[in-house]
Amino acid sequence: MIRVETAFEGKVALVTGGSSGIGLATARLLSERGAHVWLVARRREPLQSALSQVKGACRSSSQLCGIISADVTDVKQAEAAVTEVTGACGAPDILVNSAGDVDPCVVQEMDMNVIRQLMELNYFGGVNMTRACLPSMIARRSGHIVNISSVYGFLGGYGYSAYCASKFAVRGFSDSLRAELKPLGIQVSVVFPQDTATPQLERENQLKSPVIKALYDSQVMTPEAVARAIVRGIARRQYIIIPGAEGRLVFLLTRVLGNGTYWLMDRLVARSKKKVESMRK
Ligand SMILES: NC(=O)c1ccc[n+]([C@@H]2O[C@H](COP(=O)([O-])OP(=O)(O)OC[C@H]3O[C@@H](n4cnc5c(N)ncnc54)[C@H](OP(=O)(O)O)[C@@H]3O)[C@@H](O)[C@H]2O)c1
C-alpha cells in the first residue's frame, strides 16, 4: 500500500493552471507532501503570488519550486516549459493538466471562436503538455499524468455544449492514454470535479443565462477538498477520480438510468424554463 504522506517526496510535479483554483490547491498539497513543484500559467503576477503559497507549504528547504509563464495551447511554449523545468530540477514525474476555462451558453448564441478556444485550452492544452512530458517519462518508464475533466466530461448538460465537448475529449484522450501508457510503466488519472469555488466558477456564474442559473443547483466543493482527492488518487494510482459525493452520484445515475438520464434532464430543463417565464410575468 502506497502512503499518501510519502509518495511524493523528491518527485518533480508540473501543474498547469497552477496559479489559481484547483491547480493551485493541488500544487500546495503536493508541496506539503515533499514534491518539487512548478507552476505554469500565462499571467506573471498571479503566478508570483501562487509561488509564495507553494513555497510556504514546502516541508523541507531542499524542495525546489518555480513558475513558468507559458500558454499551454501553444505547442512550442508547452515544450519550452517542460524543458525549463527539466533543466532546473529534473524531468517531471507528475504532470497535472489543470489549465482550463468555461463559457456557459446555448450553442446557437455562442461565438464560433469561443467554441474553438475552449477546445484549444481544455483539450489541446493538455495534449500539448502531455506530449512534451512523454519522451522523458517513456525513457524512464515511470511518471503520472493527471487530466482534469469535469462532471461535464461524462454527462452533457444544457448550456454547456462547447465545454462538455472539450471535457468529453479529455476523458476520451485519457482512456486511450491510460491503455497506451500502462505497459510503459506510466500512470494516468482523469478527474471529474463538480462545482468548485474558484475564479472559474465566479466567471461562469456571471455568464449564466437565467435558465442555466435556474437549472443547476449543485453542491460547491472547496478547491482544497478537490486537491485532497486528486493527491490521494495519484498516490493510489487511481484512474478515475471523482472528488465529490454529488459527482459520484451523477456518475452512477448515468450508468443505471441510461436513456432515463435524458428524460430526467428534459424535465429539469422544462421546469427551469417555466420558472424563468413565470418570474418574467
Ligand atoms: N471550478 C469548477 O467548478 C470546475 C469544475 C469542474 C472542472 N473544473 C476544471 O478544473 C480545471 C481548473 O479550473 P479552476 O476552476 O481551478 O480554474 P481557475 O481558477 O480559473 O484557474 C485556471 C488556471 O488556468 C490558467 N490558464 C488559463 N488559460 C491558460 C493557458 N492558455 N495557458 C496556461 N494556463 C492557462 C489560469 O492562469 P492564466 O489565466 O494566468 O493563464 C489559471 O491558473 C479546469 O480545467 C476546469 O475546467 C473546474
Side-chain angles (χ1 to χ4, degrees):
M1 177 85 180
I2 302 156
R3 294 190 57 217
V4 183
E5 289 74 22
T6 54
F8 301 98
E9 264 168 28
K11 301 276 188 229
V12 178
L14 179 55
V15 184
T16 77
S19 64
S20 176
I22 294 171
L24 174 55
T26 306
R28 274 197 310 258
L29 201 51
L30 288 169
S31 166
E32 265 177 44
R33 302 275 190 253
H36 306 293
V37 178
W38 291 75
L39 313 174
V40 175
R42 291 164 306 175
R43 289 166 300 151
R44 281 228 157 249
E45 225 171 271
L47 273 171
Q48 287 290 0
S49 117
L51 179 63
S52 60
Q53 294 183 43
V54 169
K55 277 186 173 165
C58 282
R59 63 154 69 157
S60 129
S61 56
S62 62
Q63 281 171 252
L64 300 171
C65 303
I67 52 171
I68 298 168
S69 167
D71 184 338
V72 296
T73 65
D74 182 306
V75 178
K76 291 266 175 280
Q77 290 188 42
E79 286 169 355
V82 174
T83 305
E84 193 177 329
V85 180
T86 307
C89 72
D93 299 293
I94 300 161
L95 167 68
V96 180
N97 284 311
S98 188
D101 208 352
V102 65
D103 193 337
C105 187
V106 289
V107 72
Q108 67 274 23
E109 287 169 18
M110 272 191 105
D111 183 331
M112 193 58 209
N113 288 327
V114 175
I115 296 176
R116 287 189 193 283
Q117 279 158 14
L118 283 178
M119 193 59 97
E120 277 296 334
L121 174 57
N122 294 349
Y123 172 60
F124 285 110
V127 174
N128 292 340
M129 291 300 296
T130 299
R131 283 171 53 87
C133 284
L134 275 184
S136 71
M137 286 185 176
I138 291 170
R140 287 175 294 145
R141 296 188 75 82
S142 73
H144 201 130
I145 291 162
V146 182
N147 295 323
I148 314 291
S149 177
S150 161
V151 288
Y152 290 120
F154 56 75
L155 179 65
Y158 179 100
Y160 285 88
S161 54
Y163 182 69
C164 288
S166 70
K167 292 299 186 180
F168 268 72
V170 171
R171 201 264 160 100
F173 177 64
S174 302
D175 274 8
S176 293
L177 201 65
R178 192 206 64 77
E180 291 173 16
L181 299 182
K182 181 102 183 165
L184 304 178
I186 300 160
Q187 306 296 315
V188 176
S189 296
V190 61
V191 186
F192 300 105
Q194 60 195 59
D195 274 359
T196 307
T198 68
Q200 176 183 294
L201 187 63
E202 276 171 36
R203 284 193 303 279
E204 180 182 345
N205 284 337
Q206 281 164 9
L207 293 169
K208 282 176 183 169
S209 69
V211 173
I212 297 176
K213 248 186 214 143
L215 183 55
Y216 301 103
D217 183 20
S218 310
Q219 252 179 13
V220 178
M221 291 185 74
T222 64
E224 289 74 25
V226 173
R228 279 195 295 277
I230 293 172
V231 167
R232 198 173 43 238
I234 300 172
R236 292 179 180 165
R237 299 180 172 187
Q238 212 174 312
Y239 173 57
I240 289 179
I241 301 172
I242 308 179
E246 195 174 272
R248 287 192 289 275
L249 182 68
V250 177
F251 189 74
L252 192 72
L253 279 181
T254 55
R255 266 137 197 84
V256 173
L257 295 180
N259 274 330
T261 311
Y262 305 103
W263 174 85
L264 188 63
M265 193 185 291
D266 293 344
R267 290 185 68 95
L268 293 173
V269 171
R271 199 181 64 177
S272 304
K273 287 195 164 186
K274 218 164 143 188
K275 196 168 150 191
V276 171
E277 283 301 311
S278 71
M279 282 189 319
R280 279 191 186 132
K281 279 177 195 157

Coordinates of all heavy atoms in Angstrom, one line a residue, residues 16-24 40-44 46-47 70-73 97-102 121-122 148-152 163 167 191-201 203-204 223, ligand 1:
T16 N -0.2 22.7 -14.6 CA -0.7 23.8 -15.4 C -1.9 24.4 -14.7 O -2.6 23.7 -14.0 CB -1.0 23.3 -16.8 OG1 -2.2 22.7 -16.8 CG2 0.1 22.5 -17.4
G17 N -2.1 25.7 -15.0 CA -3.2 26.3 -14.2 C -2.9 26.4 -12.8 O -3.8 26.5 -11.9
G18 N -1.6 26.3 -12.5 CA -1.1 26.3 -11.1 C -1.2 27.6 -10.3 O -0.9 27.6 -9.1
S19 N -1.6 28.7 -11.0 CA -1.7 30.0 -10.3 C -3.0 30.2 -9.7 O -3.2 31.2 -9.0 CB -1.3 31.1 -11.3 OG -2.3 31.1 -12.3
S20 N -3.9 29.3 -9.8 CA -5.3 29.6 -9.4 C -6.1 28.3 -9.1 O -5.8 27.2 -9.7 CB -6.0 30.4 -10.5 OG -7.3 30.6 -10.1
G21 N -7.1 28.4 -8.3 CA -8.1 27.4 -8.1 C -7.6 26.0 -7.8 O -6.8 25.8 -6.9
I22 N -8.1 25.0 -8.5 CA -7.8 23.6 -8.3 C -6.4 23.3 -8.5 O -5.7 22.6 -7.8 CB -8.7 22.7 -9.2 CG1 -10.2 22.8 -8.9 CG2 -8.3 21.2 -9.2 CD1 -11.2 22.2 -9.8
G23 N -5.8 23.9 -9.6 CA -4.3 23.7 -9.8 C -3.5 24.2 -8.7 O -2.6 23.5 -8.2
L24 N -3.8 25.4 -8.2 CA -3.0 26.0 -7.1 C -3.2 25.1 -5.8 O -2.2 24.8 -5.1 CB -3.4 27.4 -6.8 CG -2.8 28.1 -5.6 CD1 -1.3 28.1 -5.6 CD2 -3.3 29.6 -5.5
V40 N 2.6 26.4 -14.0 CA 2.6 27.0 -15.4 C 1.2 27.7 -15.5 O 0.2 27.2 -15.2 CB 2.7 25.9 -16.5 CG1 2.5 26.6 -17.9 CG2 4.0 25.2 -16.4
A41 N 1.3 29.0 -16.0 CA 0.1 29.8 -16.4 C 0.6 30.9 -17.2 O 1.8 31.0 -17.4 CB -0.7 30.2 -15.1
R42 N -0.3 31.8 -17.7 CA 0.2 32.9 -18.6 C 0.6 34.1 -17.8 O 1.6 34.7 -18.0 CB -0.9 33.2 -19.6 CG -1.2 32.2 -20.6 CD -2.5 32.4 -21.3 NE -3.6 32.5 -20.3 CZ -4.9 32.9 -20.6 NH1 -5.2 33.1 -21.8 NH2 -5.8 33.0 -19.6
R43 N -0.3 34.5 -16.8 CA 0.0 35.8 -16.2 C 1.0 35.7 -15.0 O 0.8 34.8 -14.1 CB -1.3 36.4 -15.6 CG -2.3 36.9 -16.7 CD -3.7 37.1 -16.2 NE -4.2 35.9 -15.7 CZ -5.1 35.8 -14.7 NH1 -5.6 36.9 -14.2 NH2 -5.6 34.7 -14.3
R44 N 2.0 36.6 -15.0 CA 3.1 36.5 -14.1 C 2.7 36.8 -12.6 O 3.1 36.2 -11.7 CB 4.2 37.5 -14.5 CG 5.1 37.0 -15.6 CD 6.6 37.1 -15.3 NE 7.3 36.2 -16.1 CZ 7.9 35.1 -15.6 NH1 7.9 34.9 -14.4 NH2 8.5 34.3 -16.4
P46 N -0.3 36.6 -10.8 CA -0.9 35.5 -10.1 C 0.1 34.3 -9.8 O 0.1 33.7 -8.8 CB -2.1 35.1 -10.9 CG -2.3 36.2 -11.9 CD -1.0 36.9 -12.0
L47 N 1.0 34.1 -10.8 CA 2.0 33.0 -10.6 C 2.9 33.3 -9.5 O 3.2 32.5 -8.7 CB 2.8 32.9 -11.9 CG 2.3 32.0 -13.0 CD1 3.1 32.1 -14.3 CD2 2.2 30.5 -12.6
A70 N 3.7 30.5 -19.5 CA 3.5 29.9 -20.8 C 2.0 29.7 -21.2 O 1.2 29.5 -20.3 CB 4.2 28.6 -20.9
D71 N 1.7 29.7 -22.4 CA 0.4 29.4 -22.9 C 0.4 28.0 -23.4 O 1.1 27.6 -24.4 CB 0.1 30.4 -24.1 CG -1.4 30.2 -24.6 OD1 -2.0 29.2 -24.4 OD2 -1.9 31.2 -25.2
V72 N -0.4 27.1 -22.7 CA -0.3 25.7 -23.0 C -1.0 25.3 -24.3 O -0.8 24.2 -24.8 CB -1.0 24.8 -21.9 CG1 -0.2 25.0 -20.5 CG2 -2.5 25.2 -21.7
T73 N -1.7 26.3 -24.9 CA -2.3 26.0 -26.2 C -1.2 26.1 -27.3 O -1.5 25.7 -28.5 CB -3.5 27.0 -26.6 OG1 -3.0 28.3 -26.7 CG2 -4.5 26.9 -25.5
N97 N -2.7 18.5 -15.5 CA -3.2 19.4 -16.6 C -4.5 20.0 -16.0 O -5.6 19.5 -16.1 CB -3.5 18.6 -17.8 CG -2.3 18.3 -18.6 OD1 -1.4 19.2 -18.9 ND2 -2.1 17.1 -19.0
S98 N -4.3 21.2 -15.4 CA -5.5 21.8 -14.8 C -5.9 23.1 -15.5 O -7.0 23.7 -15.2 CB -5.2 22.1 -13.3 OG -6.4 22.6 -12.6
A99 N -5.1 23.7 -16.3 CA -5.4 24.9 -17.1 C -6.7 24.7 -17.8 O -6.8 23.7 -18.6 CB -4.3 25.3 -18.0
G100 N -7.7 25.6 -17.6 CA -9.0 25.4 -18.3 C -9.9 26.6 -18.1 O -9.6 27.5 -17.4
D101 N -11.0 26.6 -18.9 CA -11.9 27.6 -18.8 C -13.3 27.1 -19.2 O -13.4 26.0 -19.8 CB -11.5 28.8 -19.6 CG -12.0 30.2 -19.1 OD1 -12.9 30.1 -18.1 OD2 -11.7 31.2 -19.6
V102 N -14.3 27.9 -19.0 CA -15.7 27.6 -19.3 C -16.5 28.8 -19.8 O -16.1 29.9 -19.5 CB -16.4 27.0 -18.1 CG1 -16.6 28.0 -17.0 CG2 -17.7 26.3 -18.4
L121 N -7.9 25.1 -25.4 CA -7.4 25.2 -24.0 C -7.7 23.9 -23.2 O -6.7 23.2 -22.7 CB -8.0 26.4 -23.3 CG -7.6 26.5 -21.8 CD1 -6.1 26.6 -21.6 CD2 -8.3 27.8 -21.2
N122 N -8.9 23.5 -23.1 CA -9.3 22.4 -22.2 C -8.8 21.1 -22.8 O -8.5 20.2 -22.0 CB -10.8 22.3 -22.1 CG -11.4 23.6 -21.3 OD1 -10.6 24.4 -20.8 ND2 -12.7 23.7 -21.3
I148 N -7.5 17.0 -15.8 CA -8.7 17.5 -15.1 C -9.8 17.6 -16.1 O -9.8 18.5 -17.0 CB -8.5 18.8 -14.3 CG1 -7.2 18.8 -13.5 CG2 -9.7 19.1 -13.5 CD1 -7.2 17.9 -12.3
S149 N -10.8 16.8 -16.0 CA -12.0 16.9 -16.9 C -13.1 17.6 -16.0 O -12.8 18.7 -15.4 CB -12.5 15.5 -17.3 OG -13.7 15.6 -18.1
S150 N -14.3 17.0 -15.9 CA -15.4 17.7 -15.1 C -16.5 16.7 -15.1 O -16.5 15.7 -15.9 CB -15.8 18.9 -15.9 OG -17.1 19.4 -15.5
V151 N -17.5 16.9 -14.2 CA -18.7 16.1 -14.3 C -19.3 16.2 -15.7 O -20.0 15.3 -16.2 CB -19.8 16.4 -13.2 CG1 -19.3 15.9 -11.8 CG2 -20.1 17.8 -13.2
Y152 N -19.0 17.4 -16.3 CA -19.5 17.6 -17.7 C -18.6 16.8 -18.7 O -18.8 16.9 -19.9 CB -19.4 19.1 -18.0 CG -20.5 19.9 -17.3 CD1 -20.1 20.9 -16.5 CD2 -21.8 19.6 -17.5 CE1 -21.1 21.7 -15.8 CE2 -22.8 20.4 -16.8 CZ -22.4 21.4 -16.0 OH -23.4 22.1 -15.3
Y163 N -18.1 23.4 -23.7 CA -17.4 23.0 -22.5 C -17.4 21.4 -22.4 O -16.4 20.8 -22.3 CB -17.9 23.6 -21.3 CG -17.2 23.3 -20.0 CD1 -15.9 23.8 -19.8 CD2 -17.7 22.5 -19.0 CE1 -15.2 23.5 -18.6 CE2 -17.0 22.3 -17.8 CZ -15.8 22.8 -17.6 OH -15.1 22.5 -16.5
K167 N -14.5 18.6 -22.5 CA -14.2 17.8 -21.3 C -14.4 16.3 -21.6 O -13.8 15.4 -21.0 CB -15.1 18.2 -20.1 CG -14.7 19.6 -19.6 CD -13.2 19.6 -19.1 CE -12.8 20.9 -18.4 NZ -11.4 20.9 -17.9
V191 N -9.8 13.3 -13.8 CA -10.5 13.8 -12.6 C -11.8 14.5 -13.0 O -11.8 15.3 -14.0 CB -9.6 14.9 -11.8 CG1 -10.3 15.3 -10.5 CG2 -8.2 14.3 -11.6
F192 N -12.9 14.2 -12.4 CA -14.2 14.7 -12.7 C -14.8 15.6 -11.6 O -15.6 15.1 -10.8 CB -15.2 13.6 -13.0 CG -14.8 12.7 -14.2 CD1 -14.3 11.4 -14.0 CD2 -14.9 13.1 -15.5 CE1 -13.9 10.6 -15.0 CE2 -14.5 12.3 -16.6 CZ -14.0 11.1 -16.3
P193 N -14.3 16.8 -11.4 CA -14.8 17.6 -10.3 C -16.2 18.1 -10.6 O -16.5 18.4 -11.7 CB -13.8 18.8 -10.2 CG -12.7 18.5 -11.2 CD -13.2 17.5 -12.2
Q194 N -16.9 18.3 -9.5 CA -18.2 19.0 -9.6 C -17.9 20.5 -9.4 O -16.7 20.9 -9.3 CB -19.2 18.5 -8.6 CG -18.7 18.7 -7.1 CD -19.5 17.8 -6.2 OE1 -19.6 16.6 -6.3 NE2 -20.1 18.4 -5.2
D195 N -18.9 21.3 -9.2 CA -18.7 22.8 -9.0 C -17.7 23.0 -7.8 O -17.9 22.4 -6.8 CB -20.0 23.5 -8.7 CG -20.7 23.9 -10.0 OD1 -20.2 23.6 -11.1 OD2 -21.8 24.5 -9.8
T196 N -16.7 23.9 -8.1 CA -15.7 24.1 -7.1 C -15.5 25.6 -7.0 O -15.5 26.3 -8.0 CB -14.4 23.4 -7.5 OG1 -14.7 22.0 -7.8 CG2 -13.3 23.5 -6.5
A197 N -15.4 26.1 -5.8 CA -15.3 27.6 -5.5 C -13.9 28.1 -6.0 O -13.0 28.1 -5.2 CB -15.5 27.9 -4.1
T198 N -13.9 28.5 -7.2 CA -12.6 29.0 -7.8 C -13.0 30.3 -8.7 O -14.1 30.5 -9.0 CB -12.0 28.0 -8.8 OG1 -12.8 27.8 -9.9 CG2 -11.7 26.7 -8.1
P199 N -12.0 31.0 -9.1 CA -12.2 32.1 -10.1 C -13.0 31.7 -11.3 O -13.8 32.4 -11.9 CB -10.9 32.6 -10.4 CG -10.0 32.3 -9.2 CD -10.5 31.0 -8.7
Q200 N -12.8 30.4 -11.8 CA -13.5 29.9 -13.0 C -15.0 29.9 -12.7 O -15.8 30.3 -13.5 CB -13.0 28.5 -13.4 CG -13.9 28.0 -14.6 CD -13.6 26.6 -15.0 OE1 -12.5 26.4 -15.6 NE2 -14.5 25.7 -14.9
L201 N -15.4 29.4 -11.5 CA -16.8 29.3 -11.1 C -17.4 30.7 -11.0 O -18.5 30.9 -11.4 CB -17.0 28.5 -9.9 CG -18.5 28.2 -9.5 CD1 -19.1 27.3 -10.6 CD2 -18.6 27.5 -8.2
R203 N -16.5 33.4 -12.7 CA -16.7 33.9 -14.0 C -17.9 33.2 -14.6 O -18.8 33.8 -15.3 CB -15.5 33.6 -14.9 CG -14.3 34.5 -14.7 CD -13.3 34.3 -15.8 NE -12.8 33.0 -16.0 CZ -11.8 32.4 -15.3 NH1 -11.3 33.0 -14.3 NH2 -11.5 31.2 -15.6
E204 N -18.0 31.9 -14.4 CA -19.1 31.1 -15.0 C -20.4 31.6 -14.5 O -21.4 31.8 -15.3 CB -18.8 29.6 -14.6 CG -19.9 28.6 -15.1 CD -19.6 27.2 -14.6 OE1 -18.5 27.0 -14.1 OE2 -20.5 26.4 -14.7
P223 N -11.6 24.1 -3.4 CA -10.5 23.6 -4.2 C -9.6 22.7 -3.4 O -9.0 21.7 -3.9 CB -9.8 24.8 -4.7 CG -10.4 26.0 -4.0 CD -11.7 25.6 -3.4
Ligands
LIG1 N1 -14.2 25.3 -10.8 C1 -15.1 24.4 -11.1 O1 -16.3 24.5 -10.8 C2 -14.6 23.3 -12.0 C3 -15.5 22.1 -12.1 C4 -15.1 21.1 -12.9 C5 -13.9 21.1 -13.6 N2 -13.1 22.2 -13.5 C6 -11.8 22.2 -14.3 O2 -10.7 22.3 -13.4 C7 -9.7 23.0 -14.0 C8 -9.2 24.1 -13.1 O3 -10.3 25.0 -13.0 P1 -10.3 26.2 -11.9 O4 -11.7 26.3 -11.5 O5 -9.3 25.9 -10.9 O6 -9.9 27.4 -12.8 P2 -9.3 28.9 -12.5 O7 -9.2 29.1 -11.0 O8 -9.9 29.9 -13.3 O9 -7.7 28.7 -13.0 C9 -7.5 28.5 -14.3 C10 -6.0 28.4 -14.5 O10 -5.6 28.1 -15.8 C11 -4.7 29.1 -16.3 N3 -4.8 29.2 -17.7 C12 -5.9 29.6 -18.4 N4 -5.6 29.6 -19.7 C13 -4.3 29.2 -19.9 C14 -3.4 29.0 -21.0 N5 -3.9 29.2 -22.2 N6 -2.2 28.5 -20.7 C15 -1.8 28.3 -19.5 N7 -2.5 28.5 -18.4 C16 -3.8 28.9 -18.6 C17 -5.0 30.4 -15.5 O11 -3.9 31.3 -15.4 P3 -3.7 32.4 -16.6 O12 -5.1 33.0 -16.9 O13 -2.8 33.4 -16.0 O14 -3.1 31.7 -17.7 C18 -5.3 29.8 -14.1 O15 -4.1 29.5 -13.5 C19 -10.2 23.5 -15.4 O16 -9.8 22.5 -16.4 C20 -11.7 23.4 -15.2 O17 -12.4 23.3 -16.4 C21 -13.4 23.3 -12.7

